[in-house]
């Protein structure tokens, strides 16, 4: 099993969620976050004062999938979260040793 963690722009969440659902991936954890990468934030003007916005709003999606669905999940996220502008996000993939469904005590693939 793999954990796919994707950092995307907030307005792309609905599109990414719909596309993942279309390919059979239903379980998603969504976390609202703030951060920056290479773009290092930006400057804004508020009530005549200029200030730096270092941390930009982002969404972190955590998806646990079987190994054979990992490539498809990453492809769907990459295509549906793409805007072509800086800050589109990143995808990180980690190995998951075990998964346990608390309610039924199912383990492994049955738990996801």
């Amino acid at each position: 099993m793999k954990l796919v963690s994707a950092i995307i722009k907030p307005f792309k969440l609905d599109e990414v969620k719909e596309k993942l659902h279309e390919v059979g991936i239903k379980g998603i954890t969504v976390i609202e976050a703030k951060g920056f990468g290479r773009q290092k934030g930006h400057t804004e003007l508020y009530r005549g004062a200029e200030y730096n916005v270092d941390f930009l709003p982002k969404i972190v999606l955590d998806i646990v999938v079987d190994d054979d669905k990992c490539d498809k999940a990453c492809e769907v996220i990459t295509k549906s979260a793409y805007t072509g502008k800086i800050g589109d996000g990143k995808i990180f993939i980690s190995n998951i040793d075990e998964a346990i469904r608390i309610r039924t005590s199912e383990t492994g693939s049955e738990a996801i």
Side-chain angles (χ1 to χ4, degrees), residues 2 5 14 24-25 30 42 47 67 74 79-80 99 103 108:
K2 303 284 186 192
S5 291
D14 288 335
I25 298 170
V30 178
H42 62 277
R47 294 188 177 180
D67 290 346
C74 291
K79 286 182 180 176
S80 54
R103 181 177 53 86

Side-chain angles (χ1 to χ4, degrees), residues 37-106:
R38 290 184 183 164
Q39 77 267 28
K40 296 183 180 136
H42 62 277
T43 304
E44 285 191 4
L45 201 60
Y46 179 72
R47 294 188 177 180
E50 189 175 287
Y51 65 99
N52 287 330
V53 179
D54 291 335
F55 295 102
L56 303 172
K58 299 290 181 181
I59 294 290
V60 179
L61 300 177
D62 282 341
I63 307 160
V64 178
V65 294
D66 285 320
D67 290 346
D68 60 333
K69 291 185 178 179
C70 184
D71 289 340
K72 189 63 176 173
C74 291
E75 178 186 334
V76 166
I77 294 167
T78 301
K79 286 182 180 176
S80 54
Y82 176 82
T83 66
K85 297 188 170 113
I86 195 164
D88 271 355
K90 296 212 172 28
I91 299 173
F92 302 100
I93 302 167
S94 306
N95 289 318
I96 298 293
D97 294 329
E98 185 63 87
I100 302 168
R101 184 178 307 216
I102 294 172
R103 181 177 53 86
T104 62
S105 297
E106 293 171 297

